[in-house]
Amino acid sequence: MEIEFIIAFKEVLREQFVNKNNVEIDGLGKFEVTHLGQHQKKYDNGKVVMMPPADVLKFKSNIRISDENRPG
Amino acid sequence: MKIDRDKLVELLVEKTSMERSDVEVQLEQLIERILDAARRGKTLEIKEFGSFFFDEDGELKFDPSDELSTEISYKYAGMKPVVLKGERDSTISPVKQSTEDIGSVGIAGVTGDENLKIDSSEGIPAQDTVSGQPLEKETKPIAEQKQTTTSAPKKKSQPVQRKSSNAGVWIVAALILIALLAGGLFYFYDPAPGIENETAEETELAGPAPDELPVITDEQIPENIEIPPEFGVEQAPDNAVNEDGSAEGTAAEDQEIFGLMGTVVEDANNGYSIVLHSFNDEENARAAATDLSEQGYRALVNSRTVAGSPMWRVSVGQFETLADAQNAANELPTPHNTQNFIQRIQD
């Protein structure tokens, strides 16, 4: 695997993520950029925190490792 | 917009100088390496992009790097959670709370997977601990807050109260002690007796008043009986008369004006003299004066009215001051040195 490809792979995906584009790679999974709006978060102890908005990257994959192939 | 595998290959071809087939092969090799490493319990990390690994449930996960997360959410960079209401219930265990914080705060800005749980025993490499750092950052402050809200304030307040109460007791005790000492000093120290003593001493130093001198009347003194003089200083006589003879009235040229011995000097009659005898008869007085003159003294005979009756006093010496007269009286022979008193010769 060439280093040039790795560098290009990172740059292409980062450009797509910044542009809020979802990237789905067959055989690996799906990258989604999701926006989380500002919201309040209340803890069990009564503490209330105002969470700032953020764009987060979520990854979903249908690939699951079987118990036989699990390490250790 | 959705980018599928074909679109991704096109973009990679555009990005690189590789052929499409080569890009597809390289992409397939990358996927195989990711899965192979994950199957072996290891994490494949692409620097400044993220890490692929299998979680404990066997699902393939991706943990974006900090650089990638920041770049994706660049619009909101620097915004931090704001605490609207502080912690009130201290009975909640910190473990439960920290678990909740993991998904919402620690991972929300990175992966968005709230169910992500990391088990280090399964060989999750160090890259996962990067995503776990927010967990520690979130849990530690909560634990510290609980310690400060539950135990720390009570421990701090108790010593402060004890210190203040002890200090107050000591201050009150010191004030009471000072008040008792001051009261004791005022009680035992009374300036009035001192003043009385001073006045008494003054009266003693001044000696008896002239009015208090014993008064000798004619009835009490028989004729031709010598009356011993009294100690003390008598007031100026009412009418002092020099009864000396004319020969004695002139002072010798070599004689001092004041003195015990010699002849009487009229210029010295404004001084003091030592009274040795008192007679109610003039002749006896002059006889005594003659006797003293023969002994070399300056003898004077003065008349005084005592209780309405004339008295004749025989004195010796003429002194300018009362002190000189007193000193000379002390040097007289016995019994005259003790039985005498000093009077002013005339006004």
Side-chain angles (χ1 to χ4, degrees), chain B residues 113-155:
Chain B
D113 189 356
E114 297 182 357
N115 295 324
L116 176 60
K117 294 183 180 179
I118 301 168
D119 187 0
S120 60
S121 63
E122 293 184 1
I124 302 302
Q127 285 75 13
D128 291 333
T129 59
V130 174
S131 63
Q133 286 179 353
L135 299 179
E136 297 178 356
K137 292 180 180 177
E138 197 71 22
T139 54
K140 284 182 179 178
I142 292 173
E144 292 176 357
Q145 288 176 358
K146 288 189 175 182
Q147 291 178 357
T148 55
T149 54
T150 56
S151 59
K154 293 180 180 177
K155 291 180 180 177

Side-chain angles (χ1 to χ4, degrees), chain B residues 206-334:
Chain B
D211 295 338
E212 296 176 358
L213 291 174
V215 177
I216 302 171
T217 63
D218 294 337
E219 297 177 354
Q220 294 174 345
I221 304 172
E223 291 183 3
N224 301 326
I225 294 177
E226 181 178 355
I227 302 172
E230 301 292 340
F231 292 98
V233 178
E234 192 180 25
Q235 288 181 343
D238 296 336
N239 50 354
V241 178
N242 187 359
E243 300 293 341
D244 294 339
S246 60
E248 296 175 355
T250 59
E253 295 179 357
D254 56 349
Q255 181 179 319
E256 295 181 356
I257 298 177
F258 297 98
L260 179 63
M261 309 302 286
T263 58
V264 175
V265 179
E266 292 183 358
D267 295 338
N269 285 336
N270 57 350
Y272 299 89
S273 183
I274 304 169
V275 178
L276 299 180
H277 306 284
S278 293
F279 299 93
N280 55 4
D281 183 64
E282 184 179 4
E283 293 181 358
N284 294 332
R286 295 206 174 273
T290 302
D291 185 40
L292 290 173
S293 296
E294 292 176 354
Q295 295 179 17
Y297 293 104
R298 298 189 189 188
L300 299 172
V301 177
N302 296 321
S303 63
R304 293 288 190 275
T305 301
V306 178
S309 300
M311 294 291 296
W312 302 91
R313 291 176 177 174
V314 179
S315 60
V316 294
Q318 291 173 309
F319 304 97
E320 184 178 8
T321 62
L322 182 63
D324 293 340
Q326 188 64 47
N327 293 331
N330 294 332
E331 295 175 356
L332 291 174
T334 306

